[in-house]
Amino acid sequence: MDVTIYEVAKRAGVSIATVSRALRGTGPVAARTREKVLKAVEELNFTPSRLGVSLAEGRHAANGIVFPDLAGPYYTEVLLGYEEVASELGRSVVILSTKGRTKVGDLVKDLAGRVDGMLIFGHTVPEPLVAELVRLGVRLVFVSREPLAGADTLRSENTASARALAGHLAGHGYERFAFLGAPLTSQDDVDQRWQGVREVLGGAIEAVDTRHYTVECGYDAALTLLRGEGRPEAIVCSDDEVALGALLAAEELGLDVPGDVAVTGWDDIMAARHARPALTTVRQPMRELGARAARALDELITGARDTPRHLVLTTELMIRSSCGGHPAAT
Amino acid sequence: MDVTIYEVAKRAGVSIATVSRALRGTGPVAARTREKVLKAVEELNFTPSRLGVSLAEGRHAANGIVFPDLAGPYYTEVLLGYEEVASELGRSVVILSTKGRTKVGDLVKDLAGRVDGMLIFGHTVPEPLVAELVRLGVRLVFVSREPLAGADTLRSENTASARALAGHLAGHGYERFAFLGAPLTSQDDVDQRWQGVREVLGGAIEAVDTRHYTVECGYDAALTLLRGEGRPEAIVCSDDEVALGALLAAEELGLDVPGDVAVTGWDDIMAARHARPALTTVRQPMRELGARAARALDELITGARDTPRHLVLTTELMIRSSCGGHPAAT
DNA sequence: GGCTTTTGTGTAAGCGCTTACAGAGAAGTG
DNA sequence: CACTTCTCTGTAAGCGCTTACACAAAAGCC
């Protein structure tokens, strides 16, 4: 790691400019000269310093990603899709989690100084800081948030998918519903799901707050809900983790799912597929979200595109057994 | 992002050395002078270039991490623990996945040029390249592999935990066992688990290959195993994903778990807890693995320690319902 | 008051690499 | 042969920041 381009040049008997040209193919180099350079590189086991290259080029060849936490499988899948495409494009990925961190502003700015652009999940970064980053010309792509002027946004479809899910549930003949996991922000993913479900079920469904979208919070809220008056026949959950909590609550209360109460989730994470009963849920194309985000960011970084774009990816309704019986199916 | 230290110095009417000293606190600066500098910094919204600082300091303030994939929740948890401590120590985390990648050597070397040290999972990086990195003085910490000269290793305990698991299973009175997920490498994690289980169950257990440690491969191998002659009464699986596959196979064949066949896993991932029956498994302190790795790497990077160290973290036997009935217990 | 020590600041040299531009030599053309 | 064009190479200037060292002024001490 201590060999510099100067030592290679000396050993090969050429200038550092020639070494650079030979290695990068950025200019004409005689075959004989190239051989001498490559031989010296091999003998000295030289690898160009990333720092030197980046400073001289004025670019990092790296992408950033800011997320609230990775404990939910949702974020992991997006990250994997993102990293895969970033690597294909010759870029490293620098990660930053904001969970439990103070001075998020400083952390995000430090990240911005290390990368050519970044992906931000939803509202992980405070809005004033987002506005500042946009003003500074930082290339940004957002996943899972409403459109924002000056930056790209990418999300999965929510409203129509929620309507399809609610329609399917109604087809089971249920008449009393609850939506577990009230929206935190207007127009965020969960709010759109709530809107879509409500369009179909109307006054037959009521939203219940869970405080966070975790298994634990879903369990607590479901326990309270299922112990109360007017128990719903079906619970539509904001996401799979909350739904897993609801399954635990039903189990503890000795309620059969879906016989006594049906439960649905959102995301189609691994645990949802392996729970019993297997969760009926909506699958988000999470890897594709990450992959598309990396490509969008590439367009912004290379200048292939300079106008913000807002994309919506399609979802898939995964009917399993938690919503009710399906004659002659699965 | 375009303001340089020169512009700040000009605006504050001091030299760039004074700006640097004022911002970093590396030398005496008069209070009056410091105020002028801070005012200029604020007016110009200056943030020091990470590249400039790193090149001048000769360090990146970043940690690398190389993993085969993040699809398994195991890797995610380790990454989270790692990132959290790295951030506390003022370091960013640069990730690299090797799954499906060609030219892993080039990718790893590029990563090495961006960070002050890195964490590598098991045998993700080919041994010759590992030897070369060690020789080049790259600070390395390995997780989940046997001790290696010249680098730190960190793993969870396997053999004694496997003995405890096997002892518990034997206590259920089973007499025929299978180990699903044969070891790939001598002394790797799975091999140690296999050794521990075999010490207790001896000739009553036989290893079955799964090719990979995934749900799908576990399912295929379990299907074959359970359809064959001499069906085992209990299946000890290499890890939770393989165990989830075994649960799917049993379900498909109409076998009751644990009535007809008991199943155990390893890791205690979310899906293992939410499966039904809930998996008996061994919990690895995955976040702590990551956190300890980051701290170990910090010691190597700062020079607080220069001799390699090999640590083993304790695990916890999680008895749930997939191994058999437990009177008056959950 | 003279000498020593401390505080504060600026200059210059790098850290490792890229590349514009100038110049030399070789090749091509009329 | 003279002129033009092409190939190849080296020099010098930066990219943005840190800091050793020299020097000046102020403070402290006898």
Side-chain angles (χ1 to χ4, degrees), chain A residues 271-282:
Chain A
R273 299 196 288 277
H274 291 277
R276 284 298 176 267
L279 266 178
T280 290
T281 184
V282 173

Side-chain angles (χ1 to χ4, degrees), chain A residues 14-15 17-18 21 28-30 33 55-56:
Chain A
V14 300
S15 74
T18 298
R21 274 190 289 256
V29 178
T33 305
L55 188 58

Side-chain angles (χ1 to χ4, degrees), chain A residues 109-149:
Chain A
K109 281 183 184 172
D110 182 69
L111 179 63
R114 295 169 183 272
V115 298
D116 302 313
M118 59 176 98
L119 168 63
I120 297 178
F121 277 95
H123 294 276
T124 307
V125 177
E127 292 298 294
L129 180 53
V130 167
E132 186 180 348
L133 294 174
V134 171
R135 194 169 58 246
L136 290 173
V138 179
R139 280 54 182 256
L140 300 174
V141 172
F142 290 85
V143 160
S144 298
R145 66 161 285 164
E146 69 287 357
L148 169 74

Side-chain angles (χ1 to χ4, degrees), chain A residues 1-2 49 51-52, chain B residues 24 49-62 91 112-117 139 301:
Chain A
M1 287 297 151
D2 295 314
S49 155
L51 279 177
Chain B
R24 294 168 63 88
S49 155
R50 185 69 248 171
L51 279 177
V53 175
S54 293
L55 188 59
E57 282 187 334
R59 70 181 205 99
H60 303 268
R91 300 211 176 89
R114 296 170 183 272
V115 298
D116 301 314
R139 280 52 180 261
I301 292 171

Side-chain angles (χ1 to χ4, degrees), chain A residues 17-311:
Chain A
T18 298
V19 175
S20 188
R21 274 190 289 256
L23 292 182
R24 295 167 61 89
T26 48
V29 178
R32 185 86 175 277
T33 305
R34 179 180 293 105
E35 285 171 20
K36 287 196 295 185
V37 170
L38 295 185
K39 185 166 182 285
V41 166
E42 189 177 338
E43 291 172 348
L44 294 173
N45 206 16
F46 171 72
T47 299
S49 155
R50 184 70 249 172
L51 279 177
V53 174
S54 293
L55 188 58
E57 283 188 334
R59 70 180 205 101
H60 302 269
N63 283 1
I65 180 167
V66 186
F67 52 85
D69 192 21
L70 274 182
Y74 168 79
Y75 301 107
T76 304
E77 289 289 314
V78 177
L79 174 64
L80 285 174
Y82 186 65
E83 195 272 342
E84 183 174 354
V85 171
S87 187
E88 285 171 14
L89 296 170
R91 298 210 178 90
S92 284
V93 173
V94 188
I95 65 174
L96 172 64
S97 165
T98 58
K99 181 178 179 181
R101 305 290 158 76
T102 58
K103 301 190 173 182
V104 168
D106 289 347
L107 292 173
V108 172
K109 281 183 184 172
D110 182 69
L111 179 63
R114 295 169 183 272
V115 298
D116 302 313
M118 59 176 98
L119 168 63
I120 297 178
F121 277 95
H123 294 276
T124 307
V125 177
E127 292 298 294
L129 180 53
V130 167
E132 186 180 348
L133 294 174
V134 171
R135 194 169 58 246
L136 290 173
V138 179
R139 280 54 182 256
L140 300 174
V141 172
F142 290 85
V143 160
S144 298
R145 66 161 285 164
E146 69 287 357
L148 169 74
D152 274 29
T153 59
L154 217 54
R155 71 200 306 188
S156 297
E157 205 287 316
N158 284 299
T159 314
S161 309
R163 283 201 297 266
L165 177 64
H168 179 83
L169 265 189
H172 279 282
Y174 303 125
E175 298 181 336
R176 296 190 308 281
F177 305 85
F179 185 86
L180 203 58
L184 294 176
T185 317
S186 179
Q187 282 305 307
D188 75 356
D189 278 356
V190 174
D191 187 47
Q192 291 192 327
R193 292 168 201 166
W194 164 234
Q195 300 293 343
V197 162
R198 207 154 68 153
E199 281 176 34
V200 174
L201 303 177
I205 190 166
E206 180 173 329
V208 179
D209 186 35
T210 56
R211 295 184 304 115
H212 296 112
Y213 303 124
T214 62
V215 175
E216 293 70 38
C217 291
Y219 166 78
D220 291 340
L223 212 47
T224 302
L225 175 66
L226 295 176
R227 276 178 174 152
E229 301 281 346
R231 194 181 74 206
E233 295 180 285
I235 308 181
V236 182
C237 300
S238 55
D239 60 280
D240 283 349
E241 293 191 56
V242 167
L244 289 171
L247 288 186
L248 291 178
E251 182 178 60
E252 178 159 331
L253 295 177
L255 298 177
D256 179 69
V257 175
D260 298 320
V261 58
V263 177
T264 65
W266 199 289
D267 289 331
D268 195 28
I269 62 177
M270 176 190 278
R273 299 196 288 277
H274 291 277
R276 284 298 176 267
L279 266 178
T280 290
T281 184
V282 173
R283 166 176 283 184
Q284 287 204 53
M286 300 178 283
R287 282 213 188 199
E288 194 186 343
L289 262 179
R292 297 288 283 273
R295 293 198 195 282
L297 198 48
D298 182 58
E299 292 171 359
L300 297 179
I301 292 171
T302 61
R305 175 169 59 84
D306 64 0
T307 52
R309 187 175 65 187
H310 309 294
L311 291 187

